[in-house]
Amino acid sequence: MPRHGEKQLASEDQPGDSGSPRRSESLASLSDCECSRQSFASDSSSKSSSPASMSPPRAVTFDEVMATARNLSSMALAHEIAVNENFHLKQEALPEHSLAGRVKSIVHQAFWDVLESELNAEPPEYEHAIRLFEEIREILLSFLTPGGNRLRTQICEVLDTGLIRQQAEHSAVDIQGLAAYVIGMMGKLCAPVRDDDVRELKATGNVVEVLRQIFHVLDLMIMDMANFTIQSLRPHLQRQLVEYERTKFQEILEETPGALDQTTEWIRESMREELLSLTPGAENSSKPNLSPRLVLNNSYLKLLEWDYQNRDLPETLVTDGARLQELTEKLHQLKTIACLSLITSSTVGAVAEGLPGLTHRLKRVAAVLLEGMHRETFNLQEALSSIGVQTCAEVNKALAERSFPALGAEVQANLVGQFSSLKDENNPIRSLIDKRIQLYMKSLLCLPSPPKSMPPIPGGLAVIQQELEALGTQYLDIVNLNMRVYGPFYANILRKLLFGEEPSLKVDAPLPAH
């Protein structure tokens, strides 16, 4: 195990395009400008990417299903390693009192009890111990770099199971000496974080317990090596991620019919919404004047209102599903905090004006009481009432510190009532904040990549500006990377939906001028 510190990881910029006024130029931009940098030039690359194939459905074999699962698993793992700087492997410990945990403990204890009885027998039986040293040897060898020939030779010579068996036949095996050698080698190969564990091994006297703890520490070292490998691979994956994911997804399309059905429906819904927002009669036009980028941006905005519990994500966004769900849940909390702040400001703004720090204290109270509001068991009505009571208490406390009179009972009841009414989806303040956050997120999607500056915060959102900008940056990173990877597939879908064209022979072929 290399004994140096963690490498600094640089995240790659993720370029994207802003909207275009002409539909043909906009779709060509999706297909060419955003995707030509990561060329995908397979001649057959579009044969499975049509959003509405006219071919009859075919049966899928088990081998094809397994191949698709492998491709999807590999793509998801590579994506997670590349975009999640905190991704790492860890051992899953079974619950102590679970059935599986008890069975594992009993079986392991039985194994070590048998080993101890064999080593204490007269004459001793060494076969199980020899097999353990053989396994230890293979694990130690797996830690060596390709150039570690000297250590490789030394480990193979000392832990030569053939020689050990010959020594066992003459009762000349030094189990303690072999264990001491293994511990010393582990000290050379382990990461610095395992030094204390190795030192504890040296202080263990019972040979069976030593072997048992050696395997425990080796398991930790294996996990360390895996995480070190992940850190080493991350910069390379980040550079190759777009091409790799696009290639893997193309393989999935070739193996699985209808692998873009959810994605097509997602874009179709967005297109319908845009058509309904046009002037009367425009939605019936044979060739609507819709910008492909506008349709796609609206599709991305729908992800911030997605029902992640009851509806499947588009296939092209599955690898980012957990991140998008987390951002959506956080955004809902921020919306509620902004609504509460706006109500407080309009109700007691004149009274509370000039009270330093009050706004941030009320924000912290709301954030704490709204924690976990996405859970089904969360009682939003009760939380909003509690926030109202706490808000009145905080305002009265701040007023009392300055010898001002407390809020009247009628004002407090009005404040608590308005807070409670936010549970209604049609609440006007809630609708207003929703529209302003949608406006902000839409303006984010029109920024060049990387953005030079964040767009201005709409009125009423100043209280959540810092959190909203951070969330918007994460959201924009996900969208830009998704656009770079799947832009060619989206272009084919949009050609079919907007212009009724059959998919071109190449997935990144430009759109003909109209």
Side-chain angles (χ1 to χ4, degrees), residues 116-332:
E116 185 171 22
S117 65
E118 289 180 347
L119 293 180
N120 292 333
E122 288 295 339
E125 174 59 52
Y126 293 108
E127 185 56 33
H128 278 111
I130 293 172
R131 290 180 184 176
L132 292 180
F133 280 112
E134 185 175 16
E135 187 174 346
I136 290 171
R137 180 190 66 192
E138 296 307 314
I139 295 174
L140 292 177
L141 291 176
S142 71
F143 294 147
L144 300 180
T145 61
N149 295 326
R150 185 181 62 81
L151 282 179
R152 186 179 304 275
T153 301
Q154 183 187 108
I155 291 172
C156 290
E157 287 178 352
V158 175
L159 299 179
D160 183 347
T161 53
L163 178 60
I164 295 174
R165 282 191 172 90
Q166 292 179 16
Q167 293 173 342
E169 291 174 0
H170 298 86
S171 299
V173 179
D174 182 7
I175 298 294
Q176 288 281 11
L178 291 173
Y181 171 79
V182 168
I183 293 171
M185 187 57 63
M186 290 169 64
K188 295 178 181 179
L189 298 176
C190 71
V193 71
R194 301 298 167 207
D195 287 345
D196 290 341
D197 295 320
V198 173
R199 276 193 293 269
E200 290 179 7
L201 291 176
K202 296 177 181 179
T204 306
N206 183 281
V207 65
V208 174
E209 186 61 26
V210 167
L211 290 174
R212 185 173 189 166
Q213 293 305 317
I214 281 175
F215 274 95
H216 171 69
V217 177
L218 284 175
D219 284 343
L220 297 177
M221 290 173 62
I222 290 171
M223 199 63 66
D224 294 339
M225 175 60 80
N227 286 322
F228 174 79
T229 303
I230 288 172
Q231 291 178 15
S232 302
L233 285 175
R234 182 171 286 120
H236 305 288
L237 281 174
Q238 287 173 336
R239 288 192 291 270
Q240 303 297 328
L241 184 63
V242 172
E243 186 68 22
Y244 175 80
E245 281 200 46
R246 193 182 298 163
T247 303
K248 281 295 180 184
F249 192 76
Q250 183 63 38
E251 293 175 6
I252 293 172
L253 286 175
E254 292 170 357
E255 295 288 348
T256 309
L260 276 172
D261 288 350
Q262 296 286 348
T263 303
T264 303
E265 185 58 30
W266 168 58
I267 295 176
R268 183 184 284 113
E269 285 182 12
S270 176
M271 186 184 73
R272 288 170 181 162
E273 291 177 4
E274 289 298 323
L275 285 174
L276 291 174
S277 67
L278 296 175
T279 55
E283 62 270 21
N284 298 320
S285 174
S286 58
K287 289 190 176 182
N289 186 26
L290 280 181
S291 161
R293 185 57 192 255
L294 180 64
V295 173
L296 203 51
N297 280 354
N298 189 52
S299 299
Y300 282 122
L301 287 173
K302 288 171 67 68
L303 298 173
L304 296 175
E305 299 291 339
W306 202 265
D307 184 358
Y308 289 90
Q309 301 298 328
N310 302 309
R311 188 178 179 188
D312 292 334
L313 271 171
E315 297 89 348
T316 54
L317 286 150
V318 169
T319 51
D320 283 310
R323 274 174 287 277
L324 286 169
Q325 182 175 355
E326 184 180 349
L327 291 181
T328 299
E329 291 167 357
K330 180 63 177 176
L331 185 60
H332 287 167

Side-chain angles (χ1 to χ4, degrees), residues 68-83:
T68 300
R70 285 192 295 270
N71 283 331
L72 186 59
S73 177
S74 299
M75 184 177 70
L77 179 60
H79 184 89
E80 195 66 26
I81 291 173
V83 304

Side-chain angles (χ1 to χ4, degrees), residues 23-35 46 49-51 260 263-264 266-267 292-293 295-296 300 316 482-483 485-504 506-512 514:
R23 66 189 182 203
S24 60
E25 290 176 356
S26 180
L27 192 49
S29 173
L30 281 175
S31 187
D32 295 337
C33 297
E34 292 178 345
C35 306
S46 69
S49 60
S50 171
L260 276 172
T263 303
T264 303
W266 168 58
I267 295 176
R293 185 57 192 255
V295 173
L296 203 51
Y300 282 122
T316 54
N482 184 264
M483 182 75 75
V485 174
Y486 299 104
F489 303 105
Y490 296 149
N492 263 348
I493 293 173
L494 287 164
R495 285 190 185 94
K496 181 67 177 179
L497 296 179
L498 288 177
F499 313 121
E501 295 183 9
E502 292 300 323
S504 57
K506 288 189 177 182
V507 77
D508 56 348
L511 176 72
H514 283 272

